[in-house]
Amino acid sequence: MSTLTLSSVGKVYDDGTRAVTDLNIDVGDGELLVFVGPSGCGKTTALRMVAGLETVTEGEIRIGDRVVNDIPPRDRDVAMVFQSYALYPHLSVRENIGFGLTLRKVPKVEMRKQVEEAARVLGLSDYLDRKPRNLSGGQRQRVAMGRAIVRHPQAFLMDEPLSNLDAKLRVQTRAEIARIQRDLNVTTIYVTHDQVEAMTLGHRVAVMKKGMLQQIAPPQELYDRPSNLFVAGFIGSPAMNFLASTLEKDDSGSYRVNVGAESLGVPPDVVAAHPALAGYAGKSVITGFRPEDMADASLAPGGVGRTLHCFAELVEPLGSDLMVHLTVDIPPVQGNEDVVELAKESGDTMFARAGKAALVARFNPRSPVKEQEAVLVTIDTQRLHFFDPHTGLAIRDEQKLERQEDKQ
């Protein structure tokens, strides 16, 4: 096992296109780190630089104690699992798993032992004599993993390995990958565009946008304490809702955010947890809250300062939840790069195009809400998030406030 270190790593292609900028990450021994982000954000390029399939333009990559920038891929002691299974169709499962060992001229008895142990770990013992065409997609991907396992590499590198599987197989194989990585305790970098996959698999998750690392943290920390608008909107399904608002402080010292003609009270303990808010009194902020922090007020009365008047555009019954697409009669958040990028990624501009702010709520399935009707929505104001409308940074502590003011 080994650690992986990326120090100020960058990649610029010959035509001048910059794919990765100043990437600094330490992957611990036995850790599963997930790179996630929209298409073209640089996550696969970063992985390919670790593998040696792309040259490093700037910075340094270490695998264990070795700087590997100029070491050929075959000598880096890493194993890569691709989106395509890359299996030899004319070879059996046994032969595919043991292919690398054959090239290394491992004795047959030892090779058989290693292949059968890998097959046992992967649940493939009953399929060793089958050809790939007689396997399901999930089984083929496990064969590809088996070929990597028998090499006993210092690290696994996985590039969207579940993309070709259907939804049910993806969930099953995801659980298997998590189990196998835990059992083998192999340092792993895993690339995906699916943030649900990232949250369920990663010990830590690195969120990227346009070649730059936005935040790296354990999944729950990313969800509860996003560092900026992009992370807040990218992590979570459905995404966090954002409203353009103004923060006000009254004579009693209480805070509220004004949303059009309505306002939401900011509880004192929330203010205490976000001391930098004091510097935004009387200024514009972007207020965020997640779909599960919204409820139909007819089932969960909110009281003064906790409700918004909305209009239900679309209602989607999901059995355990009711997904409700809402609009609020205020303009959508505009002019922020992160919000524009998120809208482009999700394509969720159906209602925002009408000049109104679009929200998504996760209601109790017993809610009587109807499409094309007004609905009063309760907001859990203990779960509010606040962002600087210019920098997109989360407004939390005094140090963060200083960095925001420096950039304005």
Side-chain angles (χ1 to χ4, degrees), residues 18 22 49 70 305 355:
R18 176 169 283 281
D22 196 26
M49 283 193 286
D70 300 319

PDB file of all heavy atoms in Angstrom, residues 18 22 49 70 305 355:
ATOM      1  N   ARG A  18      -5.844  24.842 -21.061  1.00  0.00           N
ATOM      2  CA  ARG A  18      -5.484  24.455 -19.691  1.00  0.00           C
ATOM      3  C   ARG A  18      -6.555  23.538 -19.136  1.00  0.00           C
ATOM      4  O   ARG A  18      -7.722  23.910 -19.026  1.00  0.00           O
ATOM      5  CB  ARG A  18      -5.320  25.694 -18.803  1.00  0.00           C
ATOM      6  CG  ARG A  18      -5.032  25.329 -17.348  1.00  0.00           C
ATOM      7  CD  ARG A  18      -4.611  26.539 -16.541  1.00  0.00           C
ATOM      8  NE  ARG A  18      -3.220  26.924 -16.791  1.00  0.00           N
ATOM      9  CZ  ARG A  18      -2.172  26.335 -16.262  1.00  0.00           C
ATOM     10  NH1 ARG A  18      -2.327  25.299 -15.441  1.00  0.00           N
ATOM     11  NH2 ARG A  18      -0.950  26.748 -16.535  1.00  0.00           N
ATOM     12  N   ASP A  22      -2.985  23.993 -10.639  1.00  0.00           N
ATOM     13  CA  ASP A  22      -2.530  24.045  -9.242  1.00  0.00           C
ATOM     14  C   ASP A  22      -3.282  23.062  -8.338  1.00  0.00           C
ATOM     15  O   ASP A  22      -3.877  23.446  -7.332  1.00  0.00           O
ATOM     16  CB  ASP A  22      -2.695  25.475  -8.704  1.00  0.00           C
ATOM     17  CG  ASP A  22      -1.904  25.698  -7.411  1.00  0.00           C
ATOM     18  OD1 ASP A  22      -0.893  24.995  -7.206  1.00  0.00           O
ATOM     19  OD2 ASP A  22      -2.314  26.561  -6.610  1.00  0.00           O
ATOM     20  N   MET A  49      -2.854  11.701 -15.444  1.00  0.00           N
ATOM     21  CA  MET A  49      -1.503  12.151 -15.104  1.00  0.00           C
ATOM     22  C   MET A  49      -0.905  11.268 -14.019  1.00  0.00           C
ATOM     23  O   MET A  49       0.289  10.951 -14.055  1.00  0.00           O
ATOM     24  CB  MET A  49      -1.529  13.622 -14.662  1.00  0.00           C
ATOM     25  CG  MET A  49      -1.648  14.594 -15.815  1.00  0.00           C
ATOM     26  SD  MET A  49      -1.307  16.316 -15.340  1.00  0.00           S
ATOM     27  CE  MET A  49      -2.798  16.736 -14.447  1.00  0.00           C
ATOM     28  N   ASP A  70       8.291  11.409 -14.619  1.00  0.00           N
ATOM     29  CA  ASP A  70       8.954  10.944 -15.835  1.00  0.00           C
ATOM     30  C   ASP A  70       9.061   9.415 -15.897  1.00  0.00           C
ATOM     31  O   ASP A  70       9.793   8.877 -16.740  1.00  0.00           O
ATOM     32  CB  ASP A  70      10.353  11.559 -15.925  1.00  0.00           C
ATOM     33  CG  ASP A  70      10.308  13.083 -15.975  1.00  0.00           C
ATOM     34  OD1 ASP A  70       9.420  13.614 -16.672  1.00  0.00           O
ATOM     35  OD2 ASP A  70      11.140  13.725 -15.305  1.00  0.00           O
ATOM     36  N   GLY A 305     -41.820  34.376   9.717  1.00  0.00           N
ATOM     37  CA  GLY A 305     -40.404  34.360   9.406  1.00  0.00           C
ATOM     38  C   GLY A 305     -39.866  33.018   8.968  1.00  0.00           C
ATOM     39  O   GLY A 305     -38.654  32.845   8.839  1.00  0.00           O
ATOM     40  N   GLY A 355     -38.533  34.228 -15.668  1.00  0.00           N
ATOM     41  CA  GLY A 355     -38.201  35.399 -14.874  1.00  0.00           C
ATOM     42  C   GLY A 355     -38.499  35.230 -13.407  1.00  0.00           C
ATOM     43  O   GLY A 355     -38.479  36.201 -12.646  1.00  0.00           O
TER      44      GLY A 355
END
